[in-house]
Amino acid sequence: LLQFIDQREVIHRDIKPANLMRRQDGKIVLIDFGAVREINQLIVNVNGDVTTTIAIGTPGYMPSEQAGGRPKLCSDVYAVGMIGIQALTGIPPQQLQEDQSTGEVIWRQLVPKVDARLADVLEKMVRDHFSQRYQNAGEALQALLSLSPSPPPPARPPGGTASSAG
């Protein structure tokens, strides 16, 4: 879903666990589009700089550029990464420590058995500076999908029978 809204150059700006709902079919959907911002509606001044907007979002899930009123597509990627880190650590982002010299979130030592490749993807999703993150949901999704060795086999249709050689 996030890739879908990214392709339309829309920033959700308030991705957090409370805005993720599980449907009856098990799929997770993103709700509360009240803070959405379209990129093509951002105001650019005569110097070509994007003017600041009101900072909207939830502390801990909101990266610094968004807090400064300059959200980007990768701002939503940051929020999704923080949700992933919270899921692994059980600690809300507001309670995680930051490296004072880099601004990066300190979390890996809290989950020593996490797959290093997954941890690397999550760390790139939550880089302090937006230019060092995946730039959109599509890039982040591809990185996550690359962690899976192969897709699962197709499910058998209900009531189907296995053929036997014989």
Side-chain angles (χ1 to χ4, degrees):
L1 175 64
L2 187 55
Q3 185 177 8
F4 177 82
I5 63 174
D6 270 7
Q7 289 170 346
R8 280 136 189 88
E9 296 191 343
V10 171
I11 307 168
H12 186 281
R13 298 196 301 175
D14 199 21
I15 297 175
K16 58 186 175 185
N19 285 342
L20 299 174
M21 300 295 292
R22 184 179 301 272
R23 297 187 326 194
Q24 288 183 352
D25 65 3
K27 292 187 179 186
I28 296 175
V29 295
L30 182 60
I31 63 169
D32 189 3
F33 285 79
V36 159
R37 178 77 172 181
E38 288 187 55
I39 298 274
N40 60 8
Q41 290 183 350
L42 294 177
I43 301 166
V44 179
N45 67 20
V46 293
N47 296 327
D49 298 323
V50 175
T51 60
T52 58
T53 62
I54 298 170
I56 296 174
T58 302
Y61 304 98
M62 177 174 41
S64 58
E65 73 275 1
Q66 184 175 331
R70 296 184 175 165
K72 303 183 179 334
L73 291 175
C74 64
S75 300
D76 285 345
V77 170
Y78 179 94
V80 172
M82 290 307 296
I83 291 170
I85 290 170
Q86 181 177 354
L88 290 172
T89 64
I91 301 171
Q94 306 88 319
Q95 296 176 16
L96 292 170
Q97 294 183 4
E98 276 186 9
D99 182 306
Q100 294 300 314
S101 61
T102 65
E104 303 299 336
V105 177
I106 300 170
W107 68 276
R108 274 180 103 148
Q109 75 283 1
L110 301 171
V111 191
K113 293 186 179 186
V114 69
D115 180 286
R117 297 173 309 145
L118 174 60
D120 290 343
V121 170
L122 289 172
E123 283 190 349
K124 185 168 181 177
M125 291 175 78
V126 300
R127 288 280 181 224
D128 184 52
H129 196 272
F130 65 87
S131 68
Q132 296 177 343
R133 283 185 224 134
Y134 298 104
Q135 293 303 294
N136 56 55
E139 287 183 16
L141 179 60
Q142 286 306 310
L144 288 168
L145 291 174
S146 74
L147 301 178
S148 177
S150 63
R156 289 182 175 219
T161 59
S163 62
S164 59

